[in-house]
Amino acid sequence: MTEQAAYEHNGHPVSRAAFYAIACDPARSVAVEACAGAGKTWMLVSRMLRALLDGAAPHEILAITFTKKAAGEMRQRLQEWLETFAQAPLDTLGAELVSRGVSPERALEKREALQNLYRQILASGRPVQIRTFHSWFAALLGTAPLALLQAQGLPANFELLEDDAEAVREVWGPFLQTVATSASLRADYEAVVARHGRSQTHKALAAALAKRVEFDLADAAGVVDASVPPAGALFPDLSGENDPAIALLRRERDALLAAALALGRASAPTFSAKGVALETAVSNEDADGLIDALLTQKGEPRKFNDKLAGIEQVRHVQALCQRALTARRQHEAWQHQQRMARLARCLIAEFAAVKHQHGWVDMNDVERTALVMLADPVLSGWVQERLDARIRHLLVDEFQDTNPLQWQALHAWLAGYAGSGGGATAPSVFIVGDPKQSIYRFRRAEPQVFIAAQAFVRDGL
């Protein structure tokens, strides 16, 4: 068994020094995958330090993390390093720079600059931007034009909700009232509750509300309605009836009666009884009776004597019945999905109404509006001007906790430089995390986002 290398670059083993020469170089865009305790934050703050040494103004560095605690720790570490280095001897500073990937020759040149960096930053009056995703997106929202807020259905004067639990609690009353006053929604709700119970129905609707941004985006793209095809799309010969088994009864009446006759002539009482039951089901167009006569409770063909006269006909209609049962289940799945989609749309609309009534904006609104702003080439430039910060270095800590919408916003912003015709330079990007350690799945974090971001950094930057 071979031991995996401690340090790799694009799948190839490298030395520790070579690894940090790449990871800490602020001129390079890199995605670092590292386990807990591997010094991810040390690398991130080291890149900040080197970017400052290379001439970046503090406000041109944007570091994003996910909690105020993590942002505070990052800010404190940078502050402590700068204070320590301002008083350290030059030999020590050279070693500190070498440990952060600077060549020994260049470290000699940069020692005094590192020593003076703390005073230089204090004199600038502008700190490095170390923020949570939500605070940065909220700052973007604060610069949004009124027309954009209106287009997103957001109030001009809003209160930002860090926690939407209060709004979630408040929405159920208006939702149930709307359902009660709508004949179609009430029918949907009663059908789902009758099948799955009130608790499970509300649990499923709450899950849809928690994923409301993804639901809305998917719904707008037609994905929600297309996600479960109707039975008629898969079984066109059994369409036209609410129950595919009824369609089978009407289409294959003669074949079913022939099978019933073969079973009815059997000497075994249990076989002949099923023949009578099948004939009765055909005569009464009883779909459940048809299925019970030919199939077991598990939906498998009932066992009849292979030497029975007409057994081939019986086997034939059993196969047809199995197919009709599959079509019925498909129809029920489609019907349930359509009902839940209609109820989810209603719940999400009522949730938006509750927020609008109180002047609330939640983090989903913030992220979605940030995506719109950063994806638009004109708005994106305008945002940067309003924030008075042209970001030259972007660093994201614990990237595995990034949700798809947050990454889409960042990706739209960064990918826009590719079409700038050389008029703008993309910031260097540093992302670090461990896809196996995602802890914010409840915030819609998706570890697959890390893989997509790695590919973008490697191929796009």
Side-chain angles (χ1 to χ4, degrees):
M1 181 176 177
T2 58
E3 186 176 342
Q4 187 174 358
Y7 301 95
E8 292 184 357
H9 176 229
N10 292 342
H12 302 291
V14 294
S15 67
R16 182 184 187 280
F19 178 84
Y20 285 119
I22 296 167
C24 298
D25 183 358
R28 303 179 67 145
S29 289
V30 296
V32 176
E33 183 175 341
C35 63
K40 296 190 290 291
T41 305
W42 183 91
M43 281 185 277
L44 189 147
V45 180
S46 292
R47 275 182 69 103
M48 289 185 202
L49 201 68
R50 287 192 54 182
L52 292 167
L53 283 173
D54 285 355
H59 66 272
E60 294 175 330
I61 301 172
L62 172 62
I64 301 176
T65 187
F66 287 85
T67 65
K68 292 178 180 178
K69 180 182 177 182
E73 290 173 352
M74 203 182 300
R75 201 175 290 115
Q76 181 180 355
R77 181 173 297 195
L78 178 61
Q79 177 80 4
E80 289 174 351
W81 281 3
L82 291 171
E83 290 178 1
T84 299
F85 295 156
Q87 303 170 22
L90 292 180
D91 288 346
T92 300
L93 295 180
E96 292 287 355
L97 289 169
V98 169
S99 72
R100 289 165 174 81
V102 180
S103 68
E105 297 79 12
R106 195 157 181 270
L108 286 173
E109 300 172 6
K110 288 288 185 179
R111 293 180 303 174
E112 291 185 9
L114 179 58
Q115 197 174 57
N116 296 326
L117 196 54
Y118 185 42
R119 287 188 293 273
Q120 180 184 328
I121 290 176
L122 288 177
S124 75
R126 301 283 296 274
V128 171
Q129 299 186 73
I130 302 176
R131 318 183 70 158
T132 64
F133 247 120
H134 287 160
S135 72
W136 188 57
F137 279 172
L140 295 183
L141 189 62
T143 71
L146 183 59
L148 177 60
L149 293 176
Q150 291 174 339
Q152 295 293 307
L154 303 180
N157 299 311
F158 56 83
E159 175 190 349
L160 182 61
L161 291 178
E162 290 282 346
D163 184 354
D164 62 8
E166 182 181 353
V168 170
R169 284 192 299 271
E170 192 168 323
V171 74
W172 291 101
F175 165 71
L176 291 173
Q177 186 174 0
T178 299
V179 167
T181 55
S182 166
S184 59
L185 286 174
R186 183 172 181 173
D188 286 338
Y189 182 80
E190 290 176 347
V192 175
V193 168
R195 184 73 179 266
H196 299 281
R198 188 182 304 273
S199 175
Q200 289 301 314
T201 299
H202 282 219
K203 185 177 180 180
L205 287 170
L209 184 62
K211 293 276 189 179
R212 54 192 173 273
V213 174
E214 290 86 348
F215 182 92
D216 282 342
L217 292 172
D219 206 20
V223 173
V224 172
D225 278 340
S227 60
V228 179
L234 303 178
F235 306 90
D237 56 312
L238 296 177
S239 60
E241 303 292 342
N242 192 47
D243 185 348
I246 293 294
L248 174 65
L249 278 167
R250 293 173 178 172
R251 285 177 58 91
E252 301 290 344
R253 181 182 175 86
D254 292 343
L256 291 167
L257 287 174
L261 182 61
L263 288 171
R265 289 174 175 170
S267 57
T270 54
F271 294 176
S272 60
K274 291 303 179 185
V276 173
L278 178 56
E279 183 179 10
T280 302
V282 174
S283 299
N284 296 335
E285 291 194 346
D286 176 6
D288 290 334
L290 165 72
I291 293 169
D292 182 66
L294 294 173
L295 305 178
T296 66
Q297 288 187 343
K298 293 183 178 180
E300 298 170 353
R302 291 190 179 278
K303 296 187 182 301
F304 298 114
N305 193 329
D306 289 339
K307 296 180 179 179
L308 181 71
I311 188 63
E312 295 82 4
Q313 187 65 33
V314 175
R315 298 287 184 240
H316 172 65
V317 297
Q318 282 182 312
L320 293 178
C321 191
Q322 277 190 297
R323 189 166 180 273
L325 182 59
T326 302
R328 174 194 268 189
R329 289 169 177 164
Q330 181 68 29
H331 174 71
E332 290 171 349
W334 171 81
Q335 202 171 46
H336 173 72
Q337 189 266 353
Q338 291 291 305
R339 286 169 176 156
M340 288 300 297
R342 289 189 289 265
L343 291 169
R345 290 185 190 108
C346 175
L347 180 60
I348 292 169
E350 290 297 335
F351 188 77
V354 165
K355 289 190 300 179
H356 201 275
Q357 177 185 347
H358 291 280
W360 289 336
V361 165
D362 63 23
M363 289 306 172
N364 285 330
D365 299 321
V366 171
E367 290 172 355
R368 191 168 183 175
T369 307
L371 172 59
V372 173
M373 295 176 75
L374 293 174
D376 184 283
V378 176
L379 275 177
S380 180
W382 185 76
V383 165
Q384 289 302 305
E385 290 179 11
R386 289 295 299 271
L387 290 179
D388 190 26
R390 182 186 173 279
I391 306 302
R392 289 176 56 191
H393 301 278
L394 172 66
L395 308 98
V396 186
D397 192 21
E398 302 295 354
F399 197 89
Q400 74 277 355
D401 296 324
T402 306
N403 70 46
L405 198 63
Q406 291 166 344
W407 168 238
Q408 284 178 14
L410 289 179
H411 180 270
W413 174 41
L414 297 172
Y417 288 97
S420 65
T425 303
S428 73
V429 176
F430 176 79
I431 65 174
V432 61
D434 180 3
K436 297 183 289 296
Q437 296 293 324
S438 180
I439 61 173
Y440 288 120
R441 297 303 292 268
F442 67 94
R443 291 185 184 170
R444 311 187 336 274
E446 173 50 63
Q448 290 295 322
V449 169
F450 190 95
I451 297 172
Q454 281 180 312
F456 175 76
V457 169
R458 183 180 60 248
D459 303 328
L461 299 176

